[in-house]
């Protein structure tokens, strides 16, 4: 019997799933149930036991279980989906389209049956399209389906600005919109350090370099790792989104959400600024874009529509 009153389910106990289990434990947020394929359950039980052995050192009481039985996610307040295949060096996120579609369809049916009231966060790539598939298959309302994109991408944008300016990343603020892919839109005009526009701190060339590095940060990590893809920064960014929901923080976090007319986008999950609180994705915030930014967003929309057409 767990000491925790709330439950978070992790569907996928790979690199990101285990990093999430560790972070949830360190913050003593909730009981954790990890669901994975039957052949993966024992190794995940081993990792879970290793994390639970933190309890005496960290003074926390989180219970982690590993299973292949979705019945155990019943009553989960939050379901985080990382199940699927990560990309290898030389692959784009869109190369995972077909294979991860099947995974998300089967997961969506199970989540709809066993945790129909959960807030669902997806990270499986290509994440915008996977959100669309989850939303359609599960029948969940759009407020409870959200994908990891801007939280991670703007985190990387902030890091690179901090590294170049040598100020604390905590004081860097900025936004990335669009799809979670190389066409994403780091909005340089929104970037500040402690309220000071980065244009007064960095040259135009340096800003362009940072934009380019942000767009390809995931690929940079994949190439350096040689095996698997980024997992610490995705897990940390997911935690920010989940905490905003659990503690009703009304955070403004750019995320992959279903647009129905906002920004001229219809029936498509794409990264836009939105408010996350106890109502889930509570509302999309529509800011005025320049003509150039709107053109880039339209280009992202077209890429995502092509993905959906490929799957039909
Ligand atoms: N049901 C449950 N779990 C599954 C299923 C399924 N149908 N198919 C695969 N899995 C599990 C795998 O067994 C593995 O444990 O999903 C886990 C994925 O873990 P990793 O391969 O380590 O991938 P990870 O780095 O965690 O990334 C997961 O998030 O950011 C994205 O591109 C990334 O699509 C990838 C996903």
């Amino acid at each position: 019997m767990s000491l925790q009153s709330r439950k978070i389910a992790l569907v996928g106990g790979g690199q990101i799933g285990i990093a999430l289990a560790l972070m949830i434990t360190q913050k003593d947020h909730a009981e954790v149930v990890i669901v994975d394929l039957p052949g993966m359950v024992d190794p995940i039980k081993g990792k879970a036991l290793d994390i639970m052995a933190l309890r005496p050192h960290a003074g926390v009481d989180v219970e982690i279980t590993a299973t292949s039985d979705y019945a155990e996610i019943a009553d989960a307040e939050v379901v985080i989906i990382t199940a699927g295949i990560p990309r290898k060096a030389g692959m784009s996120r869109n190369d995972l389209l077909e294979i991860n579609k099947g995974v998300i369809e089967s997961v969506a049916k199970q989540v709809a049956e066993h945790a129909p009231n959960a807030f669902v966060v997806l990270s499986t790539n290509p994440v915008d399209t996977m959100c669309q598939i989850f939303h359609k298959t599960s029948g969940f309302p759009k407020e409870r389906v959200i994908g990891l994109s801007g939280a991670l991408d703007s985190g990387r944008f902030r890091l690179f600005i901090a590294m170049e300016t040598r100020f604390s990343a905590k004081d860097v603020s900025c936004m990335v919109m669009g799809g979670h892919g190389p066409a994403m839109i780091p909005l340089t005009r929104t970037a500040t350090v402690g309220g000071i526009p980065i244009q007064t701190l960095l040259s135009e060339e340096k800003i362009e370099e940072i934009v380019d590095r942000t767009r390809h940060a995931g690929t940079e990590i994949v190439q350096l790792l040689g095996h698997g893809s980024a997992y610490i920064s995705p897990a940390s960014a997911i935690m920010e989104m989940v905490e905003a929901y659990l503690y009703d923080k009304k955070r403004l976090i750019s995320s992959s959400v279903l647009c129905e007319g906002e920004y001229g986008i219809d029936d498509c999950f794409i990264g836009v600024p939105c408010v996350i609180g106890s109502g889930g994705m509570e509302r999309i915030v529509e800011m005025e874009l320049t003509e150039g930014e709107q053109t880039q967003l339209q280009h992202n929309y077209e890429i995502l529509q092509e993905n959906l057409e490929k799957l039909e």
Side-chain angles (χ1 to χ4, degrees):
M1 177 68 186
S2 169
L3 295 174
Q4 297 288 340
S5 58
R6 46 176 30 142
K7 188 195 278 186
I8 296 179
L10 307 177
V11 181
Q15 300 270 58
I16 301 177
I18 294 299
L20 282 166
L22 174 62
M23 290 173 190
I24 294 166
T25 300
Q26 285 171 322
K27 292 204 167 176
D28 215 5
H29 279 315
E31 173 192 349
V32 177
V33 176
I34 306 175
V35 187
D36 208 299
L37 302 172
M40 297 301 294
V41 171
D42 275 352
I44 294 171
K45 277 185 178 166
K47 290 177 186 175
L49 192 55
D50 191 19
I51 294 173
M52 281 194 287
L54 264 180
R55 283 186 193 171
H57 308 293
V60 296
D61 298 297
V62 171
E63 185 82 27
I64 308 173
T65 48
T67 180
S68 59
D69 181 2
Y70 279 87
E72 294 191 37
I73 72 169
D75 305 323
E77 278 178 58
V78 177
V79 175
I80 305 171
I81 301 173
T82 63
I85 307 291
R87 60 191 167 134
K88 298 185 177 66
M91 285 173 94
S92 79
R93 294 182 183 94
N94 283 349
D95 291 334
L96 304 170
L97 203 54
E98 292 285 344
I99 182 147
N100 283 345
K101 173 185 186 252
V103 172
I104 295 303
E105 279 175 342
S106 74
V107 169
K109 287 177 194 153
Q110 295 286 350
V111 173
E113 182 179 345
H114 297 284
N117 300 314
F119 176 59
V120 177
V121 183
L122 289 100
S123 99
T124 305
N125 275 313
V127 71
D128 306 282
T129 309
M130 294 303 124
C131 286
Q132 194 111 16
I133 290 165
F134 182 93
H135 177 252
K136 189 173 164 203
T137 311
S138 66
F140 271 37
K142 66 177 179 181
E143 291 77 15
R144 289 198 280 111
V145 182
I146 193 163
L148 169 68
S149 57
L152 176 61
D153 300 324
S154 47
R156 289 169 171 166
F157 193 22
R158 288 169 66 192
L159 169 71
F160 298 142
I161 291 170
M163 284 163 69
E164 286 296 338
T165 58
R166 304 186 64 78
F167 289 112
S168 167
K170 192 175 178 200
D171 291 328
V172 183
S173 174
C174 61
M175 185 185 297
V176 177
M177 287 177 69
H180 183 52
M184 67 178 75
I185 315 156
L187 291 169
T188 51
R189 74 185 166 90
T190 67
T192 66
V193 183
I196 302 169
I198 58 164
Q199 288 76 4
T200 63
L201 301 169
L202 294 166
S203 68
E204 217 171 286
E205 295 73 42
K206 196 45 85 184
I207 294 172
E208 267 318 302
E209 272 175 37
I210 292 173
V211 164
D212 191 59
R213 194 170 184 195
T214 302
R215 288 190 164 131
H216 300 99
T219 304
E220 185 178 343
I221 293 171
V222 167
Q223 280 167 349
L224 288 167
L225 287 176
H227 179 72
S229 55
Y231 56 99
I232 300 292
S233 46
S236 312
I238 291 169
M239 285 309 297
E240 275 197 72
M241 298 164 76
V242 169
E243 285 168 0
Y245 171 74
L246 290 177
Y247 305 111
D248 193 23
K249 290 189 175 211
K250 313 289 184 206
R251 293 280 314 272
L252 179 61
I253 301 178
S254 174
S255 309
S256 185
V257 299
L258 182 64
C259 284
E260 293 177 301
E262 295 90 350
Y263 291 102
I265 291 166
D266 195 30
D267 192 25
C268 187
F269 274 82
I270 190 166
V272 291
C274 68
V275 178
I276 307 177
S278 60
M281 191 287 284
E282 297 187 346
R283 67 191 169 91
I284 292 170
V285 176
E286 281 195 86
M287 60 187 270
E288 205 166 313
L289 297 181
T290 64
E291 212 179 302
E293 290 162 353
Q294 188 63 48
T295 305
Q296 288 185 67
L297 190 61
Q298 185 66 30
H299 174 57
N300 275 260
Y301 179 28
E302 283 160 13
I303 293 171
L304 296 174
Q305 282 176 312
E306 276 168 29
N307 272 357
L308 292 172
E309 278 161 21
K310 271 186 218 154
L311 293 176
E312 268 162 16

